[in-house]
Amino acid sequence: MKLTLKIWRQKNAKSEGKIVEYPIDGIDGDMSFLEMLDILNDGLINKGDEPVAFDHDCREGICGMCSLFINGEAHGPDRGVTTCQLHMRMFKDGDTIFIEPFRAKAFPVIRDLVVDRSSFDRIQHAGGFISVGTSGNTQDANAIPIPKHDADTAFDVASCIGCGACVASCKNASAMLFVSAKVSQFALLPQGKVEAHDRVLNMVRQMDEEGFGNCTNTGACEVECPKGISLESIARMNREYLVASVK
Amino acid sequence: MAKSALLKSSLAKKYWMALTGLFLCLFLAGHLAGNLQLIFGDALQFNQYAVFMTTNPAVKLLSYVTYISIVFHAIDGILLTIQNRKARPIGYAKENPSANSHWASRNMAILGSLILIFIITHMVNFWAVMHFDENMPLQTTTIDIAGQKQEFYLTTDGGYLPKIQVEQKAVLIKNRTEFFDAAANVKLKDGYKDLHKITFDYFQDAKYGLIATIMYVLAMFVLAFHLLHGFASAFQSLGVNHPKYNGFIRVFGKGFAILVPLLFATIPVYIHFFAK
Amino acid sequence: MSLDSKIPNGPIADKWTDYKDHINLVNPANKRNLDIIVVGTGLAGGSAAATLAELGYNVKAFCFQDSPRRAHSIAAQGGINAAKNYQGDGDSTFRLFYDTVKGGDYRSREANVYRLAEVSTNIIDQCVAQGVPLAREYGGLLDNRSFGGALVSRTFYAKGQTGQQLLLGAYSAMNRQIGRGKIKMYNRHEMLDLVIVNGKARGIIARNLVTGEIERHSAHAVVVGSGGYGNVFFLSTNAMGSNATAAWKIHKRGAYFANPCYTQIHPTCIPVSGDHQSKLTLMSESLRNDGRIWVPKTLEDAAAIREGKKKPTDLSEAERDYYLERRYPAFGNLVPRDVASRAAKERCDAGFGVNKTGQAVYLDFATAIQRYGNEQAYIKGLHETADAAKIIELGTEVVANKYGNLFQMYEKIIDENPYKTPMMIYPAVHYTMGGTWVDYNLMTTIPGCFSIGESNFSDHGANRLGASALMQGLADGYFVLPYTIGNYLAPDIKLGKIPTDTPEFEAAENNVRQQLEKFINNNGSHSVDYFHKKLGKIMWDKVGMARNAQGLTEAISEIAALREEFHREVRVPGTMDSFNEELAKAMRVADFLELGELFATDALHRNESCGGHFREEYQTPEGEALRDDENFAYVAAWEYKGKPSEAVLHKEELVFDNIKLVQRSYK
């Protein structure tokens, strides 16, 4: 496969960036998208150029490190995958591929395609936990039976990998899907209910402070989420927050 | 914490957006029911309805809530839009939004602004005339008396007042609707503001009637798209999302979003093309 | 220095309790005066950082990822063992201890393993209290599954994402402490050296990967929880960034490195598809609960499949060789990982491999789909009416519920539907049992420098059982280190802050700076990956699943030569004072190139086969690993002397008081 890549290059957070075009050849459908970028980078290094910086780590779709806005979609055109699981068979010979960083005020660019998502961490610091010690001297794990449906739903939302695709896809750069996933996980479990109200208020406050946009229910996040987190969790957070605010 | 959160936070803005939006949906339904009298009722019935709507204290209260809702919905929407723009200072070079969301959902601000413009012109054309126009006509009727056609004002007590008395200045019209005996300066009766006539004249105007009708129909398209996203979205914002009921909300919302503007739109079309 | 493992006296079941009863404690007010650096934020580092902060210490935590939540523990799929005996199938602390020692082929330290088994139950309680959504049954109680190498169901899980959920649990505990200011988090930082002051670990030199700044950080103790060194093979199931740098730097500063040759090759990974491959994807071992592994019985069929002339579904039952069930009737497809991996290699080497490269075997769910289908048909009252297609549909549903995410992952990568045609799998490097030598306190041979989780060597012997890595990481971090480190720190309470403007920090920083400068100014001709791939190939071919003296000897000299070439010829673009991934990679690969040689040296010296270390010269007539307990029942701890080839071997003899050494049998 022969492709034309249009990649955002930016030296550091302070400098201006621009789209640079790179032709690339010999790409196989079995390669992952990031392996295609590896080949590009190897070529750049051999030519004496600086490689394109992009975040990646586990390359199996679970660490949430990889990002990339590919041809107008977070994690590219495939569904239910991260960029590292996107395979080149999704593209055709001769395609032009735009590769841009996730864009949001709360995700400033560090270099090229690498963005700083520590705003997500700070939201979690504000309340993404259950306040129990780590002594292990808690009650027996089976002391509170949890309905399977609740446990399964809590798991579904807990499978969020914090990649930020929801923010990148949202026309408002809203972080609601991410925040609501964590709020939902704990709100669904009896252990988390105790401090559910404080949690949702604190996490939303931090989310607002970080400069994310507002949710306008377009549903783009749900479609682009590699882990299939549903809008239901946003509604659940809306509910939790409403109750917590009027209490 | 809780109090300020309900005013300032991004979620609270959405609650207000949803609540005002849903209230305006109720208003739309009521307004539609009234307006349909333009097709299914006669002029008197419609004008009587107009009197009721402008004088009943409960309705008045509701109308204030409506005005506030519109203003709040608009301001809140503008605030949200500004914030949302700020949240992404540098945009994408290549976007493919149709891959993951519907056009209407992404353009609520534009749709809303158009609706706001429509509401303003609509109010200038009808509401302002009704409330403030000194030349607001009063409803008249022609009665055949012994082969002679005579024009009478309809009065709110169900009676008639010959138009000729006004023309001959025996009766004066004060405060736009009140008939006064010119000599004695005593109030005789009240007339009906003829909103029905205003409406018919507006859409049947030889010069602008067609354009007005077309613009009105287009505005209803805009409203339909706004509602298509807005109705179900309001429930989501308020946290009502449950697999059991989502289907109903979605279907009802879609039905509402299509049916209400459609019925609204049939009124000017009927008046322009079919009514005499 | 002689190796003192500091194992407490007394009966094995009482050692840990006795130890805890008699250690020195630091009172809460004094803990505030003590700083601890934790490098790595996976299950071990993350849980340790959270717990130490909660106890009151000032913790500085470092990770090279952009968030602690991304540490590679997150990729663990299958589950976590704990001797809860919720299933009532005869599990106990002793049995978990026994299984782990046996699974490790009798090369682990009894006391450590017993302690691990002992605290395993606390882990589950802790995680549930933290809101980790472990799988539950309809009655609302926790579910268990069985795993390789055990005859009981003691594995707790959260679908195929157990590691993720447990890590997010530890991350949430960290968040709580970060929010309270008790942990200071340093994301996108890499530890590049350990600073020793007066013989004790007192700080680290770290590089900020965003700005390139070289920073000095001091503390009263340094904890390394930086994971394993599987990426020495280039291709492994580790994350791209997983590295041995922190562990190797402390080794170079005096921490002994134990049993580097013990590497776990995981049997169920997606096979390599071509040269472009950057990493290997693991499929949870839990698949072996229901999947049956086979290759064609005849070489002709195997060749026909490789050439695409036949499909696996064309072969009848009689034409298939379910080789694990044939060789190990008792455990069948659930033999431990090393056994399953070697068996696959044996079949592929013999010419029975089934993909283009000849390096793959089948993992088939047809039988399971059929079995579950019948079961469901019976439950739904359809067993009299359902046709074959309906049964398959029902069975597919069950399998999809259990393994859906794995099947989807497979399909995305290979582009074949695993519900219809058997999956192809092949072993891949997955976990390293070897690591920094630590005593019972988890302290390395450098006082004040601790090593936890995969980066130490202690609990898994020569082979790790499935679902035990998560258990060990969390046990070390939550429940073991917080006690033992207090014992070490007790005398330091009046020491005050450790200054960083001392000659020791100066020297360490200069050392780091020089290495970085050298790479940046080295106008070589090849990228870092070029060398890393070459190293990986040597390792896989000669130090991989099966090793022999000749290959290892060759590997040692080849790696040494490659290392020299690397330092001469590597090209690192960019600058030191910016985000520069190539530079970070160069530093890591430089360490792998040293570690690889020590790895091969260790493999060559160990003239026996045990667990993940299989020497072709030492096998039973049936091809099973042949241990030499008389001569090799020891931990090989290597001391750095300037070059890997000059490393000095120290032995910690392993004493087995509670378990009788026998040849492992899973027949």
Side-chain angles (χ1 to χ4, degrees):
Chain A
M1 252 195 287
K2 213 171 175 166
L3 301 163
T4 305
L5 306 176
K6 293 189 171 227
I7 303 179
W8 180 264
R9 299 301 307 260
Q10 179 175 342
K11 212 152 183 69
N12 55 48
K14 292 191 185 95
S15 62
E16 296 237 325
K18 60 171 194 292
I19 298 268
V20 178
E21 192 176 305
Y22 299 95
I24 190 165
D25 200 358
I27 299 303
D28 190 274
D30 282 339
M31 288 176 189
S32 77
F33 196 84
L34 296 184
E35 283 165 353
M36 184 273 293
L37 287 180
D38 287 344
I39 291 173
L40 172 76
N41 277 346
D42 218 45
L44 289 175
I45 294 167
N46 287 336
K47 274 199 313 192
D49 291 342
E50 289 195 33
V52 177
F54 61 90
D55 265 332
H56 64 109
D57 199 25
C58 78
R59 296 212 179 182
E60 52 184 278
I62 194 73
C63 75
M65 189 94 172
C66 65
S67 52
L68 304 190
F69 203 71
I70 300 163
N71 272 353
E73 287 184 77
H75 297 304
D78 206 356
R79 292 285 171 259
V81 296
T82 54
T83 296
C84 64
Q85 296 171 297
L86 176 68
H87 278 72
M88 294 310 292
R89 61 179 82 98
M90 295 297 291
F91 299 91
K92 293 193 307 288
D93 188 39
D95 276 1
T96 296
I97 307 176
F98 278 82
I99 310 172
E100 300 175 74
F102 280 3
R103 296 279 190 205
K105 182 174 167 234
F107 288 173
V109 171
I110 290 175
R111 185 190 176 103
D112 296 341
L113 304 169
V114 177
V115 297
D116 178 1
R117 286 168 288 193
S118 51
S119 45
F120 269 14
D121 282 322
R122 288 189 292 274
I123 295 172
Q124 302 279 27
H125 302 163
F129 49 79
I130 290 173
S131 299
V132 290
T134 50
S135 62
N137 297 322
T138 55
Q139 60 188 339
D140 185 86
N142 260 347
I144 313 171
I146 299 174
K148 182 170 167 57
H149 179 263
D150 288 352
D152 286 351
T153 314
F155 170 82
D156 288 341
V157 285
S159 63
C160 166
I161 55 174
C163 63
C166 45
V167 174
S169 312
C170 176
K171 76 175 190 66
N172 311 323
S174 164
M176 287 284 278
L177 195 66
F178 168 77
V179 180
S180 68
K182 201 75 206 169
V183 166
S184 286
Q185 179 198 344
F186 292 146
L188 282 159
L189 297 172
Q191 307 92 297
K193 284 218 169 79
V194 181
E195 50 187 336
H197 290 158
D198 284 341
R199 177 181 306 116
V200 70
L201 293 174
N202 291 336
M203 289 182 79
V204 168
R205 192 194 59 227
Q206 187 64 34
M207 173 182 85
D208 289 350
E209 278 174 20
E210 296 291 346
F212 289 104
N214 305 286
C215 176
T216 52
N217 306 326
T218 67
C221 53
E222 180 184 53
V223 176
E224 299 292 349
C225 174
K227 296 295 151 186
I229 312 261
S230 137
L231 287 183
E232 231 178 286
S233 64
I234 295 186
R236 191 178 293 106
M237 178 160 91
N238 289 337
R239 214 152 57 222
E240 290 282 323
Y241 189 85
L242 189 58
V243 173
S245 310
V246 297
K247 204 177 68 159
Chain B
M1 173 71 219
K3 263 186 203 153
S4 70
L6 255 195
L7 291 173
K8 278 199 249 161
S9 87
S10 58
L11 263 67
K13 290 199 193 81
K14 294 300 297 174
Y15 297 150
W16 290 118
M17 209 64 191
L19 288 171
T20 52
L22 284 177
F23 180 78
L24 290 173
C25 285
L26 275 178
F27 159 76
L28 279 179
H31 190 36
L32 177 64
N35 283 10
L36 282 176
Q37 296 177 78
L38 285 165
I39 298 181
F40 300 108
D42 58 22
L44 179 61
Q45 189 186 341
F46 184 73
N47 286 337
Q48 279 174 336
Y49 158 74
V51 171
F52 172 76
M53 291 304 283
T54 43
T55 52
N56 182 293
V59 174
K60 266 196 153 158
L61 183 72
L62 276 180
S63 69
Y64 287 123
V65 178
T66 308
Y67 304 144
I68 292 169
S69 291
I70 292 172
V71 172
F72 212 105
H73 197 78
I75 293 176
D76 205 17
I78 291 165
L79 283 178
L80 285 168
T81 308
I82 292 171
Q83 272 185 356
N84 292 344
R85 290 274 156 84
K86 277 196 197 149
R88 177 167 295 135
I90 301 174
Y92 293 110
K94 164 100 176 169
E95 292 189 277
N96 183 17
S98 57
N100 52 37
S101 55
H102 293 289
W103 180 85
S105 73
R106 298 191 304 272
N107 292 286
M108 291 299 274
I110 294 172
L111 292 168
S113 306
L114 290 174
I115 293 169
L116 188 63
I117 293 170
F118 168 75
I119 292 173
I120 292 167
T121 52
H122 190 69
M123 286 180 80
V124 167
N125 290 334
F126 301 102
W127 179 86
V129 173
M130 177 81 180
H131 281 80
F132 307 114
D133 189 356
E134 287 300 326
N135 302 317
M136 176 85 190
L138 297 177
Q139 190 183 356
T140 59
T141 185
T142 309
I143 301 176
D144 202 340
I145 300 175
Q148 268 219 312
K149 287 187 173 167
Q150 281 193 33
E151 265 201 289
F152 290 89
Y153 285 109
L154 293 175
T155 56
T156 53
D157 57 358
Y160 300 90
L161 191 126
K163 197 175 180 190
I164 193 121
Q165 291 186 1
V166 176
E167 283 162 5
Q168 291 168 348
K169 312 265 174 161
V171 172
L172 297 177
I173 300 174
K174 288 189 179 175
N175 300 327
R176 302 172 71 217
T177 58
E178 295 168 1
F179 296 110
F180 272 72
D181 186 307
N185 197 21
V186 174
K187 182 176 168 185
L188 303 171
K189 291 170 175 192
D190 280 308
Y192 285 109
K193 289 184 195 164
D194 200 350
L195 189 60
H196 188 268
K197 179 177 157 52
I198 297 271
T199 313
F200 272 59
D201 287 354
Y202 181 79
F203 288 113
Q204 289 177 339
D205 186 273
K207 217 169 164 189
Y208 300 111
L210 183 64
I211 293 175
T213 305
I214 290 171
M215 294 306 284
Y216 191 99
V217 172
L218 286 179
M220 289 307 108
F221 263 101
V222 173
L223 178 64
F225 277 108
H226 197 73
L227 290 174
L228 221 40
H229 174 68
F231 192 90
S233 174
F235 285 91
Q236 165 80 4
S237 289
L238 291 170
V240 182
N241 177 327
H242 190 286
K244 260 190 196 164
Y245 312 112
N246 286 348
F248 175 75
I249 294 174
R250 235 189 328 266
V251 170
F252 186 85
K254 280 212 174 118
F256 187 90
I258 293 166
L259 203 61
V260 169
L262 182 72
L263 289 173
F264 266 119
T266 52
I267 297 169
V269 170
Y270 164 79
I271 295 174
H272 183 82
F273 292 108
F274 303 108
K276 48 180 191 334
Chain C
M1 187 165 31
S2 70
L3 282 174
D4 179 4
S5 57
K6 307 212 174 90
I7 297 169
N9 293 324
I12 193 150
D14 301 335
K15 281 183 199 287
W16 180 233
T17 313
D18 275 355
Y19 173 93
K20 287 191 292 184
D21 286 345
H22 295 97
I23 51 169
N24 297 312
L25 296 178
V26 181
N27 92 33
N30 285 329
K31 287 195 184 109
R32 278 182 238 131
N33 303 326
L34 293 168
D35 305 333
I36 299 174
I37 284 173
V38 179
V39 180
T41 57
L43 285 179
S47 58
T51 307
L52 293 171
E54 185 179 312
L55 287 171
Y57 299 107
N58 307 309
V59 176
K60 289 177 166 186
F62 293 78
C63 70
F64 73 81
Q65 299 91 344
D66 74 336
S67 163
R69 67 177 296 153
R70 308 207 196 281
H72 198 56
S73 303
I74 203 154
Q77 297 171 352
I80 177 164
N81 287 331
K84 277 283 195 187
N85 195 26
Y86 281 158
Q87 305 303 323
D89 53 1
D91 200 8
S92 64
T93 300
F94 185 85
R95 199 174 282 277
L96 174 55
F97 156 69
Y98 177 86
D99 285 349
T100 307
V101 173
K102 177 189 171 194
D105 220 353
Y106 309 98
R107 288 295 174 264
S108 45
R109 194 189 281 153
E110 269 193 348
N112 286 49
V113 178
Y114 195 90
R115 176 175 65 186
L116 174 69
E118 204 177 330
V119 300
S120 68
T121 55
N122 288 29
I123 298 173
I124 302 304
D125 297 343
Q126 176 65 39
C127 292
V128 167
Q130 276 169 353
V132 173
L134 294 170
R136 290 182 182 262
E137 293 169 340
Y138 281 97
L141 302 182
L142 292 161
D143 194 15
N144 291 111
R145 53 167 62 141
S146 58
F147 242 64
L151 293 170
V152 294
S153 286
R154 63 161 74 98
T155 306
F156 295 80
Y157 66 99
K159 275 202 188 154
Q161 284 141 266
T162 317
Q164 179 197 26
Q165 293 310 317
L166 294 173
L167 182 65
L168 293 181
Y171 168 67
S172 74
M174 281 183 80
N175 284 330
R176 181 162 165 255
Q177 301 303 334
I178 295 172
R180 298 161 88 180
K182 287 305 290 180
I183 297 180
K184 176 114 181 63
M185 189 62 224
Y186 294 86
N187 297 330
R188 294 194 194 264
H189 274 66
E190 188 142 58
M191 166 179 164
L192 292 179
D193 208 352
L194 179 77
V195 183
I196 296 177
V197 181
N198 295 332
K200 288 181 171 181
R202 293 298 192 195
I204 64 167
I205 304 296
R207 180 163 175 268
N208 179 331
L209 295 175
V210 175
T211 63
E213 207 174 322
I214 300 168
E215 301 168 354
R216 301 175 185 185
H217 295 277
S218 69
H220 297 86
V222 174
V223 180
V224 172
S226 60
Y229 48 88
N231 269 351
V232 68
F233 288 85
F234 184 72
L235 284 183
S236 79
T237 66
N238 285 6
M240 300 302 286
S242 299
N243 66 80
T245 288
W248 196 251
K249 296 303 185 199
I250 62 171
H251 173 57
K252 288 174 91 165
R253 290 278 175 194
Y256 294 180
F257 208 93
N259 302 332
C261 76
Y262 292 161
T263 314
Q264 180 160 82
I265 315 275
H266 196 289
T268 51
C269 297
I270 298 176
V272 176
S273 72
D275 290 337
H276 57 267
Q277 195 100 15
S278 60
K279 87 149 254 155
L280 297 170
T281 303
L282 174 96
M283 310 265 286
S284 167
E285 177 168 356
S286 62
L287 290 173
R288 286 199 279 145
N289 270 317
D290 283 317
R292 297 176 71 198
I293 296 174
W294 62 276
V295 290
K297 241 181 205 156
T298 65
L299 285 168
E300 292 73 41
D301 280 341
I305 285 177
R306 280 198 297 273
E307 289 155 18
K309 288 184 196 145
K310 268 191 180 177
K311 283 191 290 209
T313 42
D314 294 341
L315 267 57
S316 70
E317 282 298 302
E319 292 167 320
R320 302 173 176 195
D321 175 16
Y322 294 94
Y323 57 87
L324 286 176
E325 295 169 28
R326 168 169 58 80
R327 286 174 65 176
Y328 309 101
F331 279 68
N333 293 296
L334 284 175
V335 289
R337 292 173 172 178
D338 56 332
V339 177
S341 293
R342 267 199 308 279
K345 179 177 158 57
E346 186 274 328
R347 284 290 85 187
C348 291
D349 287 351
F352 294 94
V354 295
N355 76 346
K356 270 184 284 180
T357 62
Q359 305 272 295
V361 299
Y362 286 125
L363 177 63
D364 198 333
F365 283 81
T367 313
I369 288 175
Q370 192 69 37
R371 186 179 75 239
Y372 285 125
N374 286 330
E375 223 174 270
Q376 284 301 310
Y378 192 85
I379 292 168
K380 296 192 166 143
L382 298 170
H383 53 291
E384 311 231 308
T385 54
D387 57 6
K390 182 73 188 167
I391 300 271
I392 287 178
E393 186 196 317
L394 291 169
T396 303
E397 238 169 74
V398 176
V399 170
N401 273 333
K402 287 188 130 177
Y403 310 110
N405 56 336
L406 297 170
F407 276 48
Q408 186 208 5
M409 185 168 84
Y410 179 86
E411 195 172 350
K412 291 277 181 201
I413 294 174
I414 299 290
D415 209 18
E416 278 182 3
N417 181 348
Y419 295 103
K420 300 226 161 86
T421 183
M423 287 184 182
M424 288 180 294
I425 54 163
Y426 199 67
V429 175
H430 175 55
Y431 186 92
T432 49
M433 280 74 67
T436 326
W437 184 89
V438 290
D439 60 19
Y440 190 74
N441 299 308
L442 302 182
M443 190 157 84
T444 67
T445 43
I446 303 170
C449 178
F450 295 78
S451 179
I452 57 176
E454 189 180 349
S455 81
N456 75 26
F457 87 103
S458 72
D459 295 352
H460 306 297
N463 174 54
R464 178 176 65 75
L465 288 184
S468 283
L470 305 185
M471 172 172 69
Q472 187 222 342
L474 290 178
D476 285 1
Y478 280 138
F479 306 126
V480 179
L481 181 81
Y483 287 96
T484 61
I485 204 168
N487 190 34
Y488 167 80
L489 287 170
D492 275 1
I493 52 175
K494 290 285 167 260
L495 203 61
K497 275 247 173 288
I498 309 285
T500 55
D501 53 354
T502 56
E504 290 87 350
F505 274 93
E506 179 87 38
E509 185 186 322
N510 286 339
N511 171 37
V512 167
R513 196 177 295 280
Q514 277 162 18
Q515 291 174 52
L516 292 165
E517 276 167 358
K518 199 179 151 295
F519 282 127
I520 286 291
N521 299 328
N522 201 43
N523 210 1
S525 51
H526 293 293
S527 67
V528 178
D529 278 354
Y530 169 87
F531 295 98
H532 197 175
K533 283 181 180 172
K534 276 193 149 186
L535 171 66
K537 186 159 169 35
I538 299 170
M539 293 299 295
W540 183 246
D541 289 347
K542 295 177 174 167
V543 203
M545 251 186 293
R547 304 149 180 180
N548 59 53
Q550 193 200 336
L552 290 168
T553 315
E554 286 165 15
I556 290 169
S557 59
E558 283 170 30
I559 295 169
L562 182 66
R563 187 170 64 240
E564 211 170 288
E565 191 194 339
F566 169 78
H567 284 286
R568 207 174 54 237
E569 289 297 333
V570 72
R571 179 206 289 260
V572 179
T575 58
M576 255 174 78
D577 54 357
S578 64
F579 185 97
N580 188 343
E581 201 189 352
E582 287 300 307
L583 182 57
K585 268 167 32 183
M587 295 292 280
R588 295 169 190 165
V589 172
D591 292 333
F592 281 135
L593 280 162
E594 294 184 358
L595 194 155
E597 190 182 334
L598 182 71
F599 189 132
T601 308
D602 185 47
L604 180 63
H605 112 279
R606 190 166 281 278
N607 289 322
E608 64 163 350
S609 292
C610 59
H613 169 64
F614 190 78
R615 283 282 298 271
E616 285 163 353
E617 303 95 318
Y618 308 99
Q619 52 181 314
T620 64
E622 302 93 53
E624 304 296 339
L626 189 61
R627 278 199 332 267
D628 178 355
D629 292 331
E630 198 146 318
N631 296 305
F632 288 96
Y634 63 77
V635 177
W638 299 87
E639 183 185 2
Y640 187 81
K641 286 286 184 192
K643 268 193 207 161
S645 55
E646 290 163 6
V648 175
L649 174 66
H650 300 266
K651 295 178 184 174
E652 178 199 342
E653 293 297 335
L654 291 169
V655 184
F656 292 92
D657 295 326
N658 299 278
I659 290 179
K660 197 168 142 272
L661 272 63
V662 290
Q663 198 201 321
R664 262 192 331 168
S665 168
Y666 292 95
K667 286 190 192 283

